[in-house]
Each structure stands twice: as structure tokens, then as C-alpha cells.
Amino acid sequence: MSEQTNFGPLFQSQTTESETTQLSFNGRVPSWLEGSLFRTGPSLFDIKGKKLNHLFDAMAKFYKLSFSGSSQKVFFTSRFAQSDAYNKAASTGVLQTNEFGSSPKRSRLQTFLQAFDFKATDNPNVNVFFINQRFFACTETPFVTEFEPSNLNTLGHLNLDDNLKGQVSTAHPHFDFSTGKLFNFLIEYGPTSTYKLFSWKQGENKRQLIASIKTRRPAYLHSFALTSNYVVLVLGPFAVNPLELLLCGKPFVANFNWKPDLGTSIYVINKHSGKVTPLECDPFFVFHHINACEENDRILVDLLAYENANIVQDLYLNKLASKNNAPAIPLATRLTIDLTNKTLDKEIFSEKGIELPTINYKQCNSTRYQHFYGIGENKAGDFLNQIVKISSKSGTIEASWHEENCYPSEAIFVANPDKKGDGVLISVITNIELSNSFCLILDANDLSELARIPIPHLIPFHFHGQFREGLL
């Protein structure tokens, strides 16, 4: 990495919105590719010139890329999520909500009163998901934002007919295709806090509580694992005192501390009966899981493990935009759980550091899989600047894509409906030298380039998305 590398374009505000526009492109879109990629991510990094602190704070913008392989047409739409957080900041010129690493200025009395009515942000800048023919975006709070898929207009918060409560949630719910249920967690803070696993069945407007786990030192939670019969909760010792969180007035994540002596707590929950089996492991931190499955009476959980929680500090914007930006990168790690003997083994199965892992989700989630994809370093010390395909068995890189000055977003796998195991990866790439972005369609087998589609405006580095077949 050159000392002159300027990462600023990856983390600068992009205020342009785009009505649905047909795009020209080089290459060819596969004839079977019919549908739309929906993404969300941080796009407004300052409020009236005042910088926000953390990557997870920036206000969300929705993006849509629609592909018609049969007619060789591609369309693009972008629109800011009209969340309460965004609208209040836009109307007042100052931040009004508690974001991940930024919080509004308040008096001690205001902070004290807020503790009894804790309201976190509804800024949906992390992920999108679909259920009941409805489209949602979310962050790490219980607020889920519905949007209109045709034009990306914000429709408001999801309201369900149940009394499940909590102050935070995960931005990575899992959908179980065998049961038609979506699974996720809530965390309710208090003198004794509670992790709550729930399911939401397609066609219903009410969530069902499956299991509750009590704790006095709740940990940070971003994602979890799902198998045919179990949900696996992995909680590294990045922990918080709930009363301090509610009363001190500091930004959300500033209340968490790395406590390696606590070790990592792992809970295996039977998603049918709610039975909880607790296990312990040496300390590590995780944002993302790759996949999990049951094999020979064991549970295998593949995830991306950091040695500690320093990555949270690495994602503050002043560090990310600096010329010596080199955030920590996790390693693919496998947990092997034996419920009969209540034992756990942990091993690194790939030495190639990556983040934002993806798989052929519909076919492989919660089952055995052959490989996964992610974005990683082309050379040590650089930011995430290449797309890789990695064998889940050997941990070796099977294919990669890299281009100088280009930094990819999460690469989404889209399956070929006519050929099992075949498919493409779709990623949005930002060129920091040219300050522009393009969509890249790669053959998922060898990561060769099929089509390159210039996008009308730069898209900053962003997080997650989902592809919806047949919807343009």
C-alpha cells in the first residue's frame, strides 16, 4: 500500500439520489439473470458539516440494481432512507439520535430522563431482508424499516402484534427455508439483562419467543449461526454494564469494554424445544458468521474470528479515512461442538483474512457447503481490496479478483436457476483514484469478469444486500 493512498472517497458523504435510470455497460449480463439487488449502507457521514464518529453512524441510503439478462438491460435507483434519525438531523442540522459511535449533546438531566425511555436509532444502514412479500432494512436496534421495492420509498417502521421487547437486536436475521420462519435476537437491558431468541413465521404478524438467556454482563452481538435444529449464539467478551449504558450518556459502543478474563460464551439453542446448552471458549470477537451445519452428531460453526475487539476502534471514521488505514482482519475459524459430551474445539481453517462473507444462501445455509466468498487484502496492510473464493474444506483460495485502486463491497451470490451450483457474484466497486463506482458481475466459479456497469454517482463503502429473483 502506498503511503499516499487516499481512502477518503470510501467514507465521504454522497448526497445524490437517482431516480430509476437505465445504465450502459461493457460485457454481457447472463441471460438467466432476472431480478434486483437491494443494498443499504452508510452514505451521509456528516450533519451540516459536523462529522459523525463511526462508520456505523452514517445515515443510510438504499440502492437498487435491476438486471434483465433476457433483454440485456440494467437499471439503477438510489434514495436516502427517510428514517426518524435522518429526518430529525436534516430538519435541525444536528444529530438527534443515539447512533453506534455518536450521540447528541444532552444535559445531565436529559440523559437521566432518557434512561427511562431508551430510544436507539432507526437508521437502517446495515442490512436488508424480505419476508411476507415485504421489504425491510435494519440496523442493530429493534426498529425495522419497510421500503417500497419499486422506487425505494420509505414506508415506515414494522409493527408486529406481540409484546416482545428489547433495546438492541442483530442486523443479521436468518431465514429458515424449511419452516418459512425468520429467526433473530432481542437484548433487553436491565439489572439482569436477557437475550431473547424469537421466530417470525411467514404469513403471520406475531413473533414467537423460543428461549431466554439471562446475563449480568451482556455482550455485543452482531450475528449468529443457524443449523437445521439449532441456533448458536457466540458472545465474545466485549461486554457492557447495562446501567452505565443507560445512564452515562456516552455513544452506544463507547460503553463496551474488552474483558478477556470472561472468555467467550457460547449458547446452543434447540430451535424447536428452546433448550439451551451453555459452553465456553477462549476469548475472541466476531462480527460475521459464514455458515453452520450438523454433521455426524456434531455442530460445525464457521465464522470470522478477531483476536480482540480492536476492529471496533479501527472503524472510527478518522482512522478509516487516514492514509495509513489498516484495520484488523479476521480469520476463518471453525467451532466443532459435541452436545453429547458438551465439548468444543476451535481451529483456524483458513489463514486468508477476509470480511463480509457470503455463500449460496438459499441452497447452503445451515447445511454442508463447498466454498464461500468474501473481500480481503490483496497485500498485507491494505484495506479490503479484492474478492476471493475460498474452499470451506481446505481453506485455500480457489479464485480471486483484484484491480488497482478498486475496493469492493460484499459480493452477493446469485444462483443460476438452470444449472445447480452455477451462478454469479455481484459487487459494487469504488475506485478511489477516479472517485467513481461501478457494478461488477463475476462468474462465481472462477471470478472472471462478465459485465462492468458504471454507476451514475460514487457509492461509499457499504455493508450488506440481498438479491430478489424475478423482481425488476
Side-chain angles (χ1 to χ4, degrees):
M1 180 185 66
S2 167
E3 292 183 359
Q4 282 71 47
T5 301
N6 176 19
F7 293 103
L10 293 176
F11 312 108
Q12 69 184 29
S13 292
Q14 173 49 253
T15 58
T16 302
E17 296 178 300
S18 178
E19 298 296 334
T20 301
T21 304
Q22 184 173 341
L23 306 180
S24 58
F25 59 91
N26 297 317
R28 184 168 182 81
V29 175
S31 59
W32 53 264
L33 186 62
E34 298 281 337
S36 294
L37 174 64
F38 296 90
R39 301 196 64 109
T40 186
S43 290
L44 187 66
F45 295 87
D46 61 275
I47 308 297
K48 299 295 185 181
K50 182 174 176 56
K51 295 285 186 181
L52 296 169
N53 295 331
H54 201 276
L55 180 61
F56 290 3
D57 298 339
M59 295 296 155
K61 188 189 283 187
F62 299 148
Y63 302 96
K64 176 186 176 184
L65 280 154
S66 298
F67 306 90
S68 176
S70 60
S71 60
Q72 291 298 294
K73 292 181 179 179
V74 179
F75 300 89
F76 175 75
T77 313
S78 67
R79 194 176 304 280
F80 273 104
Q82 299 297 310
S83 63
D84 289 345
Y86 174 82
N87 288 329
K88 288 177 181 178
S91 63
T92 63
V94 293
L95 185 68
Q96 296 290 327
T97 50
N98 291 310
E99 300 298 327
F100 186 83
S102 300
S103 59
K105 291 184 177 180
R106 291 192 173 98
S107 68
R108 290 185 178 181
L109 176 60
Q110 288 172 322
T111 298
F112 178 78
L113 293 175
Q114 186 203 30
F116 297 94
D117 186 26
F118 183 85
K119 285 186 171 64
T121 182
D122 66 339
N123 174 25
N125 66 1
V126 181
N127 206 357
V128 299
F129 65 94
F130 320 129
I131 188 172
N132 293 329
Q133 305 303 314
R134 297 165 69 182
F135 294 71
F136 302 101
C138 59
T139 183
E140 295 182 331
T141 74
F143 293 107
V144 175
T145 300
E146 186 171 6
F147 64 91
E148 167 58 50
S150 62
N151 54 21
L152 303 184
N153 284 344
T154 301
L155 300 178
H157 293 157
L158 168 67
N159 292 304
L160 295 174
D161 186 23
D162 60 53
N163 59 1
L164 291 182
K165 296 179 181 179
Q167 290 90 3
V168 299
S169 185
T170 90
H172 288 276
H174 271 296
F175 189 78
D176 184 342
F177 293 95
S178 64
T179 62
K181 292 180 180 180
L182 180 136
F183 291 84
N184 205 353
F185 281 90
L186 289 167
I187 304 178
E188 185 173 17
Y189 292 128
T192 299
S193 298
T194 308
Y195 304 106
K196 301 176 181 179
L197 172 64
F198 67 83
S199 65
W200 176 21
K201 189 172 183 178
Q202 193 159 258
E204 297 181 354
N205 198 46
K206 185 177 182 178
R207 297 169 294 184
Q208 298 294 326
L209 181 66
I210 298 172
S212 296
I213 301 170
K214 302 291 186 180
T215 180
R216 291 191 176 276
R217 297 290 289 182
Y220 175 77
L221 174 63
H222 187 80
S223 66
F224 59 95
L226 180 79
T227 73
S228 298
N229 295 295
Y230 300 98
V231 168
V232 184
L233 186 61
V234 179
L235 299 166
F238 193 45
V240 67
N241 180 326
L243 293 182
E244 290 182 8
L245 173 67
L246 297 174
L247 292 170
C248 76
K250 293 190 294 186
F252 175 77
V253 79
N255 298 278
F256 285 75
N257 295 286
W258 182 247
K259 302 285 188 180
D261 291 346
L262 297 176
T264 296
S265 297
I266 297 171
Y267 298 97
V268 181
I269 307 168
N270 187 304
K271 67 185 188 185
H272 309 295
S273 69
K275 180 183 176 181
V276 179
T277 302
L279 299 163
E280 294 182 355
C281 187
D282 58 278
F284 64 92
F285 180 75
V286 58
F287 272 130
H288 298 115
H289 291 70
I290 303 168
N291 198 13
C293 67
E294 298 165 40
E295 185 178 88
N296 299 326
D297 297 323
R298 298 175 303 168
I299 300 171
L300 306 181
V301 179
D302 291 351
L303 48 76
L304 299 180
Y306 294 87
E307 291 185 0
N308 51 47
N310 288 352
I311 180 61
V312 175
Q313 299 298 317
D314 292 343
L315 296 180
Y316 276 88
L317 291 170
N318 60 344
K319 292 187 177 182
L320 284 174
S322 68
K323 293 182 179 181
N324 58 352
N325 167 10
I329 297 180
L331 298 179
T333 301
R334 178 164 295 148
L335 307 181
T336 302
I337 299 170
D338 184 333
L339 285 184
T340 302
N341 298 313
K342 295 186 179 179
T343 61
L344 181 148
D345 292 323
K346 172 175 170 279
E347 64 170 338
I348 295 171
F349 72 92
S350 177
E351 295 289 343
K352 179 61 184 179
I354 70 161
E355 251 298 357
L356 303 180
T358 58
I359 58 172
N360 181 347
Y361 188 85
K362 190 170 185 179
Q363 178 180 315
C364 298
N365 187 50
S366 76
T367 66
R368 295 184 64 179
Y369 69 115
Q370 300 300 314
H371 42 252
F372 60 98
Y373 309 92
I375 57 176
E377 299 172 314
N378 178 256
K379 53 186 176 182
D382 203 346
F383 192 60
L384 303 170
N385 64 349
Q386 73 171 352
I387 300 171
V388 294
K389 176 183 179 181
I390 297 178
S391 166
S392 62
K393 184 176 181 179
S394 66
T396 58
I397 295 178
E398 298 181 331
S400 65
W401 177 93
H402 166 74
E403 191 169 300
E404 198 68 23
N405 298 313
C406 290
Y407 293 81
S409 67
E410 175 189 56
I412 302 296
F413 181 92
V414 183
N416 181 346
D418 303 321
K419 188 177 180 182
K420 187 175 181 179
D422 190 28
V424 297
L425 294 182
I426 305 177
S427 177
V428 174
I429 316 292
T430 295
N431 186 311
I432 61 172
E433 182 179 44
L434 301 178
S435 290
N436 62 19
S437 298
F438 58 92
C439 173
L440 195 64
I441 301 178
L442 302 176
D443 186 313
N445 290 309
D446 59 9
L447 301 196
S448 58
E449 184 173 327
L450 301 178
R452 180 175 298 218
I453 307 157
I455 290 174
H457 59 72
L458 181 143
I459 297 180
F461 181 80
H462 57 299
F463 301 128
H464 303 290
Q466 300 280 347
F467 188 86
R468 180 64 180 265
E469 295 86 354
L471 185 69
L472 299 178

